[in-house]
Amino acid sequence: MSKELILQKIKAYSRIMLFRHVRIDGDCVGATKGLKEIIKATWPEKEVYLIDDEHSDYLAFLGPDDEPVDNAFYEDALGIVIDVGSADRISNKRYMLCKELIKIDHHIEREPYGDICWVEEERSSACEMIADFYHTFQDQLVLTSRAATYIYTGMVTDSGRFQYEGVTGETLRLAALMLDHGVDTERLYAHLYLRDFHTLKFKAYIYETMHITENGVAYVAISREMQNRFGLTFEEACASIGYLDGIRDCLCWLAFIESSETQTIRVRLRSRFVAINTLAEKYRGGGHACASGATIYNEEEMRALLADADALVKEYKETHEGWL
Ligand code: AMP
């Protein structure tokens, strides 16, 4: 129902502004760029803007966003926010100026916002929802190979290459639909997964220095000094969360990354079997059951969060069977 309403609104407006979350990732970038490309290919006369201060070296291959425009541009526009659970995480705050606002999201919903909401928490990515939107109205919409590439990028990155829990037969069917429209997967995977030499040295260092709590929480803490020593960007340091998955008996893994810009510590939380989003919410965060983010301010909070995570895993192991 809300999908039908969203299509009607897109048809009705001549100007559309797209928004996504802070700390951009492949999903929010792919979904916003993908929907923009679909709208432009279908209705070339419409103005569609994607404006965001944030830049990611890792995702630079997907191309730049639009240049900033005056506030007046927002005022008679339809705003579409994709992949953002709560309004405080929308990166471009001028979403507030839009005449009407649509929310399309797959996070666990804490605070509804917007005039029309299409939220499906069980979807593996927001890009999967954009692929589904195209699929539902494919007789009325145009999907270029560029749009398919954007959308496929987010489907791949948010699902750990179709590995995580939210992936269903429907996910793979929609991914196949994107591939049918011409995605150069060899080039895409090279962009996403090739690593520089210094990053691999850093990975080796992470394996040398990671810790495991008594009940099976693996973690690393990456200081600013360490980021400087290895010549890492903050984004590269944050990617370290991915190095900790796949440890037997460790049902939860955490990376604490010190940010020089905001004087905070970014926490990335991942798990299998056990849900960690409530833990993230306790520390100014949120997200999905098995992939969440949070923000803390000092080592004392880091110790408290680790103790909470350890207790959570302990309780899970005591009350469940069959985990690995
Ligand atoms: P990250 O580790 O930052 O990639 O976050 C994992 C997931 O949790 C992503 O889907 C984020 O959008 C979400 N997330 C991260 N930080 C927060 C936060 N502070 N509040 C709500 N959701 C978050």
Side-chain angles (χ1 to χ4, degrees):
M1 186 58 208
S2 38
K3 265 189 279 184
E4 181 61 50
L5 214 53
I6 291 170
L7 182 67
Q8 281 172 22
K9 289 290 177 191
I10 292 174
K11 284 181 179 171
Y13 277 81
S14 59
R15 187 179 295 142
I16 297 162
M17 317 300 283
L18 295 165
F19 302 91
R20 57 197 183 200
H21 62 72
V22 291
R23 287 177 180 161
I24 55 174
D25 61 14
D27 192 27
C28 74
V29 171
T32 45
K33 284 187 180 294
L35 184 60
K36 176 180 170 177
E37 179 76 14
I38 290 174
I39 297 172
K40 286 300 287 178
T42 310
W43 298 283
E45 69 286 0
K46 285 191 194 291
E47 290 178 71
V48 190
Y49 291 96
L50 174 56
I51 296 162
D52 192 346
D53 289 343
E54 274 196 48
H55 168 83
S56 153
D57 288 340
Y58 165 66
L59 297 166
F61 71 96
L62 294 176
D65 300 322
D66 297 308
E67 293 298 319
V69 294
D70 286 344
N71 283 359
F73 274 66
Y74 290 80
E75 282 161 13
D76 56 358
L78 171 68
I80 305 181
V81 186
I82 313 179
D83 197 29
V84 194
S86 50
D88 58 316
R89 300 198 74 238
I90 303 174
S91 61
N92 178 353
K93 300 299 175 211
R94 286 190 282 181
Y95 75 89
M96 293 178 198
L97 301 174
C98 289
K99 194 165 171 196
E100 281 188 284
L101 203 65
I102 291 174
K103 173 187 186 184
I104 301 177
D105 188 38
H106 73 129
H107 289 94
I108 294 167
E109 186 153 47
R110 284 184 293 140
E111 289 164 35
Y113 63 86
D115 303 295
I116 300 171
C117 293
W118 173 28
V119 176
E120 292 193 36
E121 293 175 0
E122 61 290 349
R123 291 280 189 180
S124 68
S125 62
C127 276
E128 180 182 323
M129 297 176 72
I130 302 302
D132 174 70
F133 186 75
Y134 167 72
H135 179 240
T136 308
F137 304 113
Q138 56 184 318
D139 53 332
Q140 301 175 63
L141 298 173
V142 177
L143 183 74
T144 62
S145 65
R146 189 194 288 260
T149 302
Y150 292 143
I151 295 168
Y152 189 77
T153 300
M155 294 183 82
V156 165
T157 53
D158 238 38
S159 67
R161 275 184 270 186
F162 304 110
Q163 181 191 345
Y164 302 147
E165 205 194 1
V167 174
T168 61
E170 174 75 350
T171 312
L172 297 185
R173 278 185 289 277
L174 290 168
L177 184 64
M178 297 303 107
L179 291 183
D180 288 344
H181 282 76
V183 181
D184 180 348
T185 48
E186 188 179 17
R187 183 162 292 274
L188 174 63
Y189 292 141
H191 276 301
L192 292 177
Y193 301 117
L194 290 181
R195 292 289 171 262
D196 293 332
F197 189 73
H198 73 275
T199 314
L200 290 178
K201 288 285 184 195
F202 172 62
K203 190 171 184 175
Y205 180 81
I206 292 290
Y207 287 136
E208 284 287 332
T209 55
M210 68 183 180
H211 302 277
I212 293 177
T213 64
E214 190 184 343
N215 292 291
V217 177
Y219 68 96
V220 280
I222 303 161
S223 63
R224 265 174 279 169
E225 189 259 313
M226 207 192 287
Q227 294 169 45
N228 292 338
R229 176 141 55 100
F230 284 93
L232 302 171
T233 62
F234 183 65
E235 192 179 23
E236 286 171 327
C238 288
S240 57
I241 187 65
Y243 308 157
L244 299 183
D245 67 356
I247 306 173
R248 195 181 293 282
D249 295 338
C250 285
L251 302 190
C252 174
W253 52 105
L254 310 171
F256 299 91
I257 313 106
E258 202 177 359
S259 158
S260 48
E261 257 176 43
T262 56
Q263 313 294 326
T264 57
I265 299 171
R266 176 182 181 183
V267 190
R268 305 193 78 191
L269 305 91
R270 301 290 184 270
S271 64
R272 61 179 172 276
F273 303 114
V274 48
I276 38 81
N277 58 297
T278 314
L279 173 64
E281 281 165 27
K282 184 172 168 188
Y283 294 89
R284 307 168 200 91
H288 308 284
C290 293
S292 284
T295 303
I296 58 170
Y297 289 99
N298 51 47
E299 279 193 26
E300 201 181 326
E301 274 196 306
M302 180 173 129
R303 280 191 292 275
L305 197 160
L306 275 169
D308 285 344
D310 190 63
L312 195 68
V313 172
K314 180 175 194 277
E315 203 235 316
Y316 185 89
K317 287 182 172 178
E318 283 171 358
T319 51
H320 295 77
E321 287 180 355
W323 44 266
L324 297 155

